[in-house]
Amino acid sequence: MFSRFFSLFGGLAAVTFAASSALAPEALAASRDQVFFQSVSGIWKGPGEIVAGKYKGTKFTCHLTGESAPGGETGMKLDGTCRVGVFKQPMSAVITHNGKGYQGKFLDGAEGKGLDIISGSVSGDKVVMGINRAKLNGAMVASLRGDNKMNITISVKVEDQMVPVIGLTLDRDMDSIAVGSIR
């Protein structure tokens, strides 16, 4: 029951920026995005809730680790778990830049039990990713609130309207930063 929810929920979360005036516009945008993704690298944890649909009111917690995308690409890789009561579901996502936007997948993608990332953009402290699975279309919006808090909302398209279905608030695990900085 909850594994189906988590399959749709996917490995939510994550997101990057830097700038150099000597770069072409596409390279400049990729650099700003990369800085943003690097800024959200690390360990994040916190509560979430399903706010619409069959499982409305279900609360869960997630513990996720974000790192730079493999191979130095602009984007990120996310791994971790989300838990509802005693049920624990692995979470994973890979998001990479593909020229004009982003692509990737949550879990094993739409052909498996997950979702495909079909588009995306980074703007300031927020990333918006288009998500798809069969006839389900939607968006994941992740916004930084300072350096150590991130809000994530998953919405799905119902007729001509986007309806929020999942909300998640993550805090950066400051213990992991303190331990990692000790040499």
Side-chain angles (χ1 to χ4, degrees):
M1 161 171 97
F2 291 112
S3 66
R4 178 144 177 92
F5 153 70
F6 281 127
S7 293
L8 293 175
F9 177 54
L12 301 177
V15 243
T16 324
F17 279 88
S20 168
S21 58
L23 298 174
E26 285 182 23
L28 180 62
S31 294
R32 287 189 310 254
D33 289 7
Q34 189 63 26
V35 169
F36 178 74
F37 285 111
Q38 289 170 350
S39 76
V40 298
S41 290
I43 298 173
W44 297 82
K45 54 187 175 180
E49 182 175 354
I50 302 171
V51 296
K54 183 177 180 179
Y55 299 110
K56 181 179 179 177
T58 301
K59 297 182 186 308
F60 57 92
T61 59
C62 294
H63 189 268
L64 307 166
T65 301
E67 58 187 50
S68 296
E73 294 184 76
T74 299
M76 75 179 309
K77 180 180 176 195
L78 181 72
D79 284 304
T81 59
C82 289
R83 172 184 293 260
V84 174
V86 297
F87 299 101
K88 192 182 219 182
Q89 175 72 31
M91 294 291 140
S92 65
V94 175
I95 301 168
T96 56
H97 192 262
N98 69 349
K100 294 185 179 183
Y102 285 85
Q103 66 183 16
K105 61 184 179 176
F106 292 127
L107 298 175
D108 55 356
E111 290 187 19
K113 295 181 178 182
L115 297 164
D116 287 338
I117 297 166
I118 57 172
S119 63
S121 64
V122 178
S123 177
D125 62 354
K126 178 168 79 172
V127 64
V128 178
M129 297 288 160
I131 55 177
N132 174 268
R133 177 178 176 84
K135 295 180 182 179
L136 173 72
N137 289 299
M140 179 202 69
V141 178
S143 300
L144 282 173
R145 301 291 181 234
D147 292 336
N148 300 314
K149 186 172 286 293
M150 185 179 347
N151 293 328
I152 300 171
T153 303
I154 305 288
S155 300
V156 296
K157 191 169 187 174
V158 178
E159 296 175 9
D160 292 332
Q161 190 174 19
M162 293 296 281
V163 177
V165 293
I166 297 171
L168 180 62
T169 301
L170 299 171
D171 291 309
R172 190 180 299 274
D173 184 347
M174 298 307 288
D175 291 338
S176 66
I177 293 172
V179 170
S181 65
I182 297 173
R183 293 192 185 252

